[in-house]
Amino acid sequence: QVQLVESGGGLVQPGGSLRLSCAASGRLFRLGWYRQAPGKQREFVATMTSGGSTNVADSVMGRFTISRDNAKNTVYLQMNSLKPEDTAVYYCYANSNGVDYWGKGTLVTVSS
């Protein structure tokens, strides 16, 4: 059973930074992040394959950076220049052999 455990969420002021981490229980092909803001649908943020190919949403391009440590089965999301509209629950996502897996989520609140 694949397990994804997120950490690193919290309260930050606009313009600030946070780094999210997600530890996976095994080696998975694609790891990444989605988010769900209050009253909105879950949306794609960024993913990265084990080979290093990345996809990043236009809304966070240039502000968020995804990276992963394959040896640790961990994916990171460095979030800079945070805006109030980035407030959401951020979910770790994984895909392997055509199956999607989700973490329980970590809350990021951007507010002064």
Side-chain angles (χ1 to χ4, degrees):
Q1 182 72 18
V2 173
Q3 290 186 327
L4 304 172
V5 180
E6 303 102 333
S7 61
L11 173 65
V12 63
Q13 292 186 341
S17 298
L18 278 177
R19 189 176 85 151
L20 305 182
S21 300
C22 172
S25 59
R27 183 173 176 85
L28 298 156
F29 173 67
R30 190 182 305 275
L31 288 171
W33 300 91
Y34 282 68
R35 68 184 181 184
Q36 186 166 17
K40 295 187 176 181
Q41 290 187 329
R42 191 173 297 188
E43 66 174 5
F44 167 80
V45 177
T47 59
M48 190 172 191
T49 68
S50 56
S53 296
T54 61
N55 284 297
V56 181
D58 289 343
S59 59
V60 304
M61 184 79 71
R63 299 188 298 122
F64 292 11
T65 302
I66 188 169
S67 61
R68 66 187 281 175
D69 184 333
N70 288 332
K72 296 181 178 180
N73 295 323
T74 300
V75 63
Y76 306 96
L77 187 69
Q78 178 66 44
M79 305 185 293
N80 299 327
S81 302
L82 282 160
K83 305 175 181 179
E85 51 264 41
D86 294 318
T87 294
V89 176
Y90 284 71
Y91 294 92
C92 185
Y93 162 83
N95 179 279
S96 191
N97 296 323
V99 179
D100 292 337
Y101 303 93
W102 297 94
K104 294 183 178 180
T106 184
L107 177 63
V108 172
T109 302
V110 184
S111 175
S112 55

